[in-house]
Amino acid sequence: MTRSATAKCAAAFALTAAPAAVLTVVPQATALADSCSDVASNSAMAIDTGACADVLAQERRWLTAITEGDRVTVDSILAPGFKHINSDGILLDRAQEIAGLEKVSFTMNPTDQLVDIAGDTAVIHGVNTLIDGGTVLARERFTDVFVLQNGTWMALSAQETAQG
């Protein structure tokens, strides 16, 4: 899900905020959900197993790859038609998203995640807190959309909105 110069969301987060020459990546927090539901049946799903756990693992993998500037991994996560509206309101396509990746020093820490599964589509709503050396750089509300293709959750769309 960069987020500003990156995926998701996605990917989705002001990743060009720090110069690459002085960056150290800190391990990312675990992506956990507060709830997961099956939209078709309007029923709760297990958070730690099945589709919900799988899409959250892909979300975490994506966030880590974004901060590491890992274009190969991000390329493997983004669906061919991927689009990203970053917190500055700029629309990025897949190629622009990947080209804009640079290793950064901050971590992206998702919280308040609500996952909705509708067949082969998953939507994650949450808050991403960007932290560098214990300092909160930004908080962004995000929505990341994934589609299940050949057994893999692929990011189709990401959008962030800066929180004051």
Side-chain angles (χ1 to χ4, degrees), residues 1-78:
M1 193 206 240
T2 40
R3 294 30 186 153
S4 280
T6 12
K8 142 117 130 228
C9 336
F13 316 81
L15 297 181
T16 57
V22 289
L23 301 173
T24 306
V25 174
V26 181
Q28 304 293 303
T30 303
L32 298 175
D34 293 318
S35 74
C36 186
S37 64
D38 180 331
V39 175
S41 65
N42 197 26
S43 60
M45 295 176 67
I47 294 171
D48 55 353
T49 60
C52 191
D54 293 345
V55 76
L56 284 169
Q58 187 73 315
E59 175 83 7
R60 168 56 33 222
R61 185 172 167 247
W62 187 16
L63 293 178
T64 300
I66 289 167
T67 59
E68 291 176 355
D70 182 350
R71 291 182 175 147
V72 172
T73 299
V74 171
D75 181 66
S76 74
I77 294 170
L78 302 184

Side-chain angles (χ1 to χ4, degrees), residues 85-155:
I85 299 174
N86 69 23
S87 62
D88 295 323
I90 298 169
L91 176 63
L92 303 170
D93 65 21
R94 186 178 192 281
Q96 292 168 317
E97 185 74 17
I98 294 168
L101 288 175
E102 292 183 16
K103 189 173 183 178
V104 295
S105 63
F106 59 83
T107 61
M108 291 189 269
N109 303 281
T111 58
D112 301 330
Q113 294 186 109
L114 307 174
V115 181
D116 292 309
I117 307 285
D120 289 345
T121 303
V123 179
I124 303 175
H125 299 282
V127 174
N128 200 0
T129 304
L130 284 61
I131 300 174
D132 191 0
T135 300
V136 173
L137 301 176
R139 282 191 177 85
E140 299 174 333
R141 170 87 38 204
F142 71 89
T143 300
D144 291 336
V145 178
F146 289 84
V147 291
L148 189 61
Q149 296 179 344
N150 301 317
T152 301
W153 288 103
M154 303 293 291

